[in-house]
Amino acid sequence: MSKPVLAVVGRPNVGKSTFFNRIVGRRVAIVEDTPGVTRDRIYAEAEWNGVEFSVIDTGGIEPASSEVIPAQMREQAQIAMDAADCVLFLVDGKEGLTTSDREVADMLRRRADHVVLAVNKVDKAELPDDFYDFYELGLGEPYPISSANMLGLGDLLDVILEHFPAGEAEESEERINIAVIGKPNVGKSSLINALLGENRVIVSDIAGTTRDSIDTPFEKDGVKYNLVDTAGIRRRSKVSEAIERYSVIRAVAAIERCDICLLMIDGREGISEQDKKIAGIAHEGGKGIIVCINKWDLVPKETNTMQHFRREIASEMSFMSYAPAIFISVLEHQRLDQVLATARTVAENRAKRIPTGKLNSLLSDAVMMKMPPSDKGKRLKFYYVTQVGVKPPLFSFKINDRKLLHFSYSRYLENKIREAFGFEGTSIKFVFREKGEKEDV
């Protein structure tokens, strides 16, 4: 089941980034007492009372401003709101209700059922005299908090959880959920149209619940799929760098909802920082990943051009070396048949289970070939390993001392498991537990 998404919005300098950092548990957003510091969206994972959710921090909304950067921040915040299950509207309790607050509230009122209003910077138990003015916004009860002093955050998060959608029952029929992700103008919509146009057997359009995306179920060769379209970013400015940042907002929600991500890259441009950022979200989410290098027909060819690009992927995206790459041209319909075929293979790998006996035999051989690390005469010992989950595959190792474990040895074991059992296209996760610890994964 996908994680709910919370978007934090409000006018500049009301404390959005401070709130964001508090609830995700670390300093992620840049905090500075200057309006407009958070120019681009930042996202992270958070948890409250056992419920995991994604949080999107946005730049401040200045509704009346026509300047380029505030206008882009406003558009960015609107995309975040469209992608969210719940929107937290943050206002400043010290400044009181402002005209800008009213204008932002007007933007939010069409989705008031999914908006929670919080009055930040209420640092004392006594409410300020003008606190009740915020009821005028028409967004329900305002909740007093102090992000800086961590006052009222627990009660606020309880309310936010109530606005998240209830757990949905699993679908009666198995479908492979595929999200097409990537920067704007790399061919995401064209790929979806090509797949549906060529392969359509059963198709229907189902609007996403509160997210601005379209689910398209269809069937091909007896296999049921569901495409999650993350396209729809409209270029309203010549400042392409700022526009590209918006793609991450859409990607967060879409990735949470899918099994497999088709990461679209423009073959003429190579791999950009934005490509790596979006790929990292999918990797950290434990999703299956297939890299689709589009517009390959337009790439000038020399000797081993494709191999050179594969090496670039391996170098720039070394954290997901398991992801297969397909060089396609949507326009010329080159290698499109490989996309769904590879997605089927990746889906099978994500659901693959390895018997405990085979795992422990491999572990024994791996330890003999390369001794585990040691410190001050004490060596890391492995007692056994077992697979405890799928989608993505999750392996639990019982060891003597977690402090002796080094990242490089964990990577060594991952490579051995991949060599023996495959798992192409999917990340695999490890947990290491000492004797006596419960298997609460």
Side-chain angles (χ1 to χ4, degrees):
M1 187 181 299
S2 62
K3 296 187 185 74
V5 177
L6 171 69
V8 184
V9 304
R11 59 183 175 81
N13 209 32
V14 296
K16 296 184 300 299
S17 294
T18 302
F19 173 83
F20 178 85
N21 290 336
R22 290 297 191 191
I23 65 171
V24 303
R26 61 190 189 279
R27 187 182 174 91
V28 178
I30 299 171
V31 180
E32 183 177 321
D33 192 21
T34 304
V37 168
T38 306
R39 293 276 173 82
D40 59 351
R41 173 236 50 95
I42 303 174
Y43 89 98
E45 304 300 318
E47 182 270 336
W48 181 251
N49 284 345
V51 177
E52 296 180 350
F53 55 99
S54 299
V55 190
I56 299 174
D57 183 26
T58 64
I61 305 173
E62 296 182 75
S65 176
S66 59
E67 295 179 13
V68 174
I69 289 178
Q72 292 169 356
M73 291 160 63
R74 183 168 62 251
E75 180 179 2
Q76 177 196 43
Q78 183 64 57
I79 293 174
M81 289 187 281
D82 290 339
D85 295 292
C86 179
V87 177
L88 176 66
F89 178 25
L90 213 60
V91 295
D92 190 327
K94 289 186 176 178
E95 288 192 27
L97 184 61
T98 67
T99 300
S100 293
D101 290 329
R102 290 189 173 92
E103 292 172 345
V104 175
D106 288 340
M107 295 175 58
L108 293 169
R109 200 165 288 118
R110 65 181 179 85
R111 50 179 296 126
D113 290 345
H114 303 286
V115 177
V116 175
L117 173 62
V119 183
N120 195 25
K121 305 182 184 179
V122 181
D123 301 323
K124 299 179 180 179
E126 303 81 19
L127 297 178
D129 294 338
D130 55 359
F131 176 85
Y132 296 97
D133 292 346
F134 291 104
Y135 279 94
E136 296 177 18
L137 296 175
L139 293 172
E141 179 181 355
Y143 294 89
I145 65 169
S146 171
S147 298
N149 297 320
M150 300 186 68
L151 299 176
L153 297 186
D155 292 340
L156 177 63
L157 289 170
D158 288 341
V159 174
I160 289 172
L161 261 54
E162 294 175 0
H163 284 72
F164 287 153
E168 301 172 1
E170 294 293 326
E171 292 188 16
S172 58
E173 56 181 7
E174 282 290 323
R175 288 188 181 272
I176 301 175
N177 292 297
I178 302 173
V180 184
I181 61 176
K183 298 187 303 184
N185 303 320
V186 293
K188 297 189 296 295
S189 292
S190 297
L191 175 61
I192 288 176
N193 291 335
L195 293 176
L196 295 176
E198 291 180 351
N199 305 321
R200 183 179 307 179
V201 177
I202 301 172
V203 62
S204 61
D205 289 338
I206 302 174
T209 52
T210 60
R211 300 179 177 89
D212 184 21
S213 62
I214 298 295
D215 286 9
T216 306
F218 73 105
E219 184 176 323
K220 168 66 175 176
D221 297 332
V223 180
K224 293 181 173 65
Y225 303 89
N226 184 55
L227 286 176
V228 181
D229 184 4
T230 63
I233 301 170
R234 299 291 182 260
R235 184 178 297 278
R236 298 179 183 173
S237 167
K238 295 180 180 179
V239 186
S240 58
E241 179 184 355
I243 296 295
E244 285 186 355
R245 291 170 181 158
Y246 305 157
S247 60
V248 181
I249 298 174
R250 293 201 191 275
V252 171
I255 287 170
E256 290 293 351
R257 303 170 58 210
C258 77
D259 303 306
I260 297 169
C261 295
L262 303 182
L263 174 63
M264 298 281 288
I265 294 176
D266 190 326
R268 300 169 303 174
E269 298 179 0
I271 299 172
S272 68
E273 288 300 316
Q274 188 74 355
D275 293 323
K276 290 188 284 187
K277 181 183 295 185
I278 295 173
I281 298 171
H283 170 73
E284 291 297 324
K287 306 299 180 178
I289 304 175
I290 301 170
V291 182
C292 296
I293 300 90
N294 191 25
K295 307 180 184 180
W296 194 245
D297 57 311
L298 303 178
V299 175
K301 306 298 192 298
E302 298 178 358
T303 305
N304 297 324
T305 301
M306 191 176 290
Q307 293 305 316
H308 287 315
F309 206 106
R310 289 186 188 277
R311 284 195 287 271
E312 182 182 356
I313 295 173
S315 173
E316 296 294 328
M317 298 180 174
S318 58
F319 57 88
M320 50 175 234
S321 57
Y322 54 82
I326 307 175
F327 295 81
I328 66 174
S329 168
V330 176
L331 183 64
E332 299 295 331
H333 295 276
Q334 293 178 359
R335 303 183 186 88
L336 296 188
D337 57 328
Q338 295 182 22
V339 174
L340 292 181
T342 305
R344 290 195 298 271
T345 299
V346 173
E348 292 170 0
N349 289 338
R350 281 173 52 77
K352 184 186 300 183
R353 288 189 178 273
I354 309 301
T356 299
K358 289 186 177 181
L359 284 173
N360 282 281
S361 177
L362 180 143
L363 177 62
S364 178
D365 291 344
V367 169
M368 290 182 63
M369 292 175 62
K370 182 177 180 179
M371 292 294 290
S374 62
D375 182 44
K376 297 178 181 178
K378 185 177 182 181
R379 186 170 298 279
L380 175 66
K381 292 182 180 179
F382 290 87
Y383 299 111
Y384 68 87
V385 57
T386 186
Q387 185 175 354
V388 295
V390 294
K391 298 182 181 180
L394 176 62
F395 300 91
S396 178
F397 293 81
K398 189 69 74 173
I399 59 178
N400 62 330
D401 190 344
R402 192 181 293 106
K403 295 178 182 178
L404 297 172
L405 179 67
H406 192 271
F407 170 79
S408 61
Y409 203 82
S410 175
R411 177 58 61 89
Y412 164 72
L413 293 176
E414 177 181 343
N415 291 338
K416 287 298 181 183
I417 288 178
R418 289 189 181 279
E419 288 173 10
F421 305 115
F423 292 112
E424 181 188 34
T426 182
S427 62
I428 60 178
K429 305 292 185 180
F430 290 168
V431 291
F432 297 91
R433 302 194 177 280
E434 298 177 1
K435 275 191 171 181
E437 289 188 63
K438 294 182 179 180
E439 298 286 348
D440 58 350
V441 296

